Structures are given as C-alpha cells and as structure tokens.
Amino acid sequence: MKRILVTGATGQIGSELVHALRLRYGSDNVVAAGHQKAPQQSLIEEGPFTTLDVTCIEAINATVQHYRIDTIFHLAALLSAVSEKNPQRAWKVNMDGLFNVLEVSREQRCAVFFPSSIGAFGPDTPRDNTPQDTLQRPNTMYGVCKVSGELLCDYYFSRFGVDTRGVRYPGLISYETPPGGGTTDYAVEIFYHAIQNKSYTCFLQQGTYLDMMYMPDAIRAAIELMETDVSRLKHRNAFNITAMSFAPEELAESIRKHIPGFRMDYNVDPVRQAIANSWPRHMDDHAARTEWGWESQFDLEQMTAHMLTQLTAKLSATL
Ligand code: SER
C-alpha cells in the first residue's frame, strides 16, 4: 500500500480510517473520496479530498489514474435500515459500486478492502458462535448485497488475481462520525442521549444480543488485514471479527456505572427489530485470529468509559 483511495470517506468508518491511514502512510498518499455528504473539515485539511460517485465507473477509473492509486478501501455503501427503505438504490450503490471498484482494480492492478457485515447472515444461520463458513441466506437487501459482495471479491481474486481482502464487521461504535441508518445505531445514539438527557428510548427490544466493536479496533483490523503477508491467508474475504456481544439493557447498565441516573425505555421499531433478529448474536472469529492474528482490545466496559470521556469532551466543545 503506497497510494490509497478510501471511498465513503465521509462516513462512520471512513472518516476515522482516512486519518489512521494518513498517519501511517503519509497524508499526501491517502485520497479521501466522498459523495453526497459534505466532507468534515479535517478530511480536506489533512490531505487530498475528491468527490466520487462509485456508481460511475469512469469517475473511479479517472481518480485511480490521476492519483496513481494501488489500494482501494471501498467503504461507500448504504446501511441496513436505509437499504430496506430504498432497496433499488441500495443495489445500485452497494453492488454496482463494488463491481465498478473491482473492475477498475482488475485493470489498474489495485488491491481492494471490502467490508462485509453481520448482515451477510440470515435467519437460518446459527446465531451463537456463528461459524466462519456457514449457511448465508440473508432476507434484507443490505444482506443480499453483502453476501454477493463477498462472493464477487472471492471471484475477482480467483478469476483475475485481484488482491481482495475483507472482514465481516459487527455493529460499530464511535464518537467521531455518527452511522447513517443502520440497525446497530442504537449503540451509538444511546451515548449522545445519556450525556445530553440522561435517558434514551431504544428501538431494539431487551434481550437483543448483537456483536459489536469499538471503532479503534475496527480501524486496526482493516489495516492489519491489508498489511498481512498474504501467504498466511486461507480465507481472503469476509473474515468474522468481533469484540463484544451485548443486549441493549447491558449497555445501559454499563453506562449507569458512570451516569447513575441514566434511564432507558423501549419503543421497538419492527423493521429494525426484524433485521436484528436475523443476525448473529455472537460470531466465531477463530479464522481471523489464526490466519492474521486478529485480537480486539476494547471490551464493553473499556469501550463505554472511553466513549463517555471522548463524547463528553466533544459535545461540550460544540455547545
Ligand atoms: N452496522 C450495520 C447496520 O446496522 C451492520 O453492518 O446496518
């Protein structure tokens, strides 16, 4: 990785991944590409920023050639709940976008990182200790795109030799950039409400266990996988990775240790609850641990303490 392009750079993962990559590879060598959302000031100030619509293959090709890109972290995508509201658009952005990135990478010899998700599993998948290789019959458009994306990345490696790699991310928790329309978003929203109102109404019901991860672990995972000696990898794409599994009431309890008066009630959103019910409660990430040494650093208590400190500072700075 010498010259890197990050699509979806203004999103929840992208904004932090760009920063981490720039520290590691040099600011000028990491091009941040966003589309609809206005870029954060830091993205523009730190290094090159470009506007890029991933549904336009010519635009990707021109960007890759202009900046002499050799590695693409392809993060541009719609999240699960938004994809259910507009499945046609989700297919266009999530699938056509990936196909275009892979085609350009085939021609320009780029390596590709593609984030899959717990959404790539479905109601028939074992929900506890979900194996690396198992039944995947998702019933959401987001999931259909993710499992297709996993297969397409495998195909571009075996058929054309494109160096594709990727992980299945769980719900991601961060304080920099909010997620936009996912099923696991409650685990981020709750912190804003806990700090500002000492109360939160959760859209998933009690007992809904899902895999989760704090953003610093997620960023490190992407970089470590792309830097791994490829001869160690048996799976290239779609590695299960997780850091913690909890239900909403357990996260509330963890927050209460710092904000004793914090109250949570529930107003369940049937669409997002149905999506959550079709996802793993806890994935087995043994393959990632064995093949490239994956290890999480933040558990529930460490994540909660860090989130509250960082977000409190951020929110008081913006008041
Ligand atoms: N966090 C994502 C979502 O909820 C899942 O990958 O859509």
Side-chain angles (χ1 to χ4, degrees):
M1 293 200 280
K2 293 198 183 75
R3 303 275 301 169
I4 299 168
L5 173 66
V6 180
T7 72
T10 57
Q12 189 197 12
I13 306 174
S15 55
E16 295 194 42
L17 181 64
V18 166
H19 181 68
L21 287 169
R22 282 178 173 166
L23 285 177
R24 202 165 172 85
Y25 290 95
S27 292
D28 292 343
N29 295 322
V30 180
V31 181
H35 183 216
Q36 303 228 303
K37 213 170 113 189
Q40 299 83 337
Q41 205 52 35
S42 59
L43 276 187
I44 308 175
E45 281 167 5
E46 274 177 16
F49 178 85
T50 187
T51 300
L52 178 61
D53 176 359
V54 295
T55 66
C56 177
I57 192 164
E58 292 80 17
I60 302 172
N61 203 24
T63 303
V64 165
Q65 292 202 32
H66 178 75
Y67 291 102
R68 301 188 322 279
I69 297 297
D70 60 44
T71 304
I72 304 176
F73 287 78
H74 176 49
L75 307 178
L78 305 190
L79 286 178
S80 57
V82 175
S83 297
E84 265 342 274
K85 282 203 186 114
N86 193 343
Q88 294 78 8
R89 173 141 185 79
W91 180 269
K92 209 169 167 40
V93 175
N94 295 12
M95 275 328 291
D96 291 355
L98 175 62
F99 178 78
N100 291 341
V101 163
L102 288 169
E103 265 300 289
V104 170
S105 299
R106 177 179 68 80
E107 283 175 358
Q108 308 289 338
R109 311 306 304 164
C110 297
V112 178
F113 174 85
F114 169 67
S116 187
S117 152
I118 47 174
F121 298 110
D124 307 321
T125 305
R127 295 186 67 200
D128 294 303
N129 283 324
T130 306
Q132 173 66 39
D133 302 305
T134 186
L135 194 59
Q136 290 179 264
R137 307 281 297 170
N139 57 3
T140 62
M141 180 50 100
Y142 180 73
V144 168
C145 292
K146 285 299 185 194
V147 76
S148 309
E150 293 179 0
L151 294 171
L152 202 57
C153 286
D154 278 344
Y155 180 79
Y156 266 74
F157 167 67
S158 58
R159 179 78 169 76
F160 302 119
V162 177
D163 183 2
T164 55
R165 307 185 195 188
V167 297
R168 292 185 184 124
Y169 278 129
L172 297 180
I173 299 164
S174 63
Y175 57 87
E176 287 281 354
T177 308
T183 301
T184 56
D185 293 14
Y186 90 85
V188 178
E189 287 174 9
I190 192 172
F191 284 98
Y192 285 83
H193 288 258
I195 293 167
Q196 290 175 322
N197 316 319
K198 288 197 170 23
S199 73
Y200 177 61
T201 301
C202 185
F203 60 75
L204 294 184
Q205 70 195 21
Q206 283 193 39
T208 308
Y209 280 86
L210 289 168
D211 279 301
M212 298 279 177
M213 182 177 290
Y214 197 34
M215 191 59 86
D217 277 338
I219 299 299
R220 199 170 41 76
I223 296 174
E224 283 179 9
L225 175 58
M226 292 309 281
E227 288 181 349
T228 294
D229 174 359
V230 76
S231 65
R232 293 177 66 191
L233 302 179
K234 289 200 212 60
H235 299 84
R236 291 181 146 257
N237 293 293
F239 280 100
N240 287 359
I241 54 167
T242 187
M244 58 192 104
S245 166
F246 57 74
E249 65 276 18
E250 292 176 350
L251 178 54
E253 197 47 49
S254 176
I255 291 173
R256 228 167 264 129
K257 289 178 188 156
H258 304 266
I259 305 176
F262 175 61
R263 285 182 300 108
M264 185 157 84
D265 58 12
Y266 298 84
N267 183 11
V268 174
D269 168 9
V271 174
R272 284 181 285 188
Q273 186 64 49
I275 295 174
N277 290 347
S278 76
W279 288 356
R281 283 186 280 256
H282 181 62
M283 287 187 286
D284 174 4
D285 58 6
H286 187 78
R289 290 173 184 276
T290 318
E291 292 180 37
W292 49 281
W294 158 248
E295 212 173 329
S296 65
Q297 287 174 355
F298 286 86
D299 64 14
L300 174 58
E301 303 305 335
Q302 291 164 315
M303 177 276 290
T304 301
H306 202 259
M307 264 304 271
L308 287 172
T309 309
Q310 298 298 323
L311 202 53
T312 303
K314 182 178 157 180
L315 291 174
S316 49
T318 55
L319 279 179

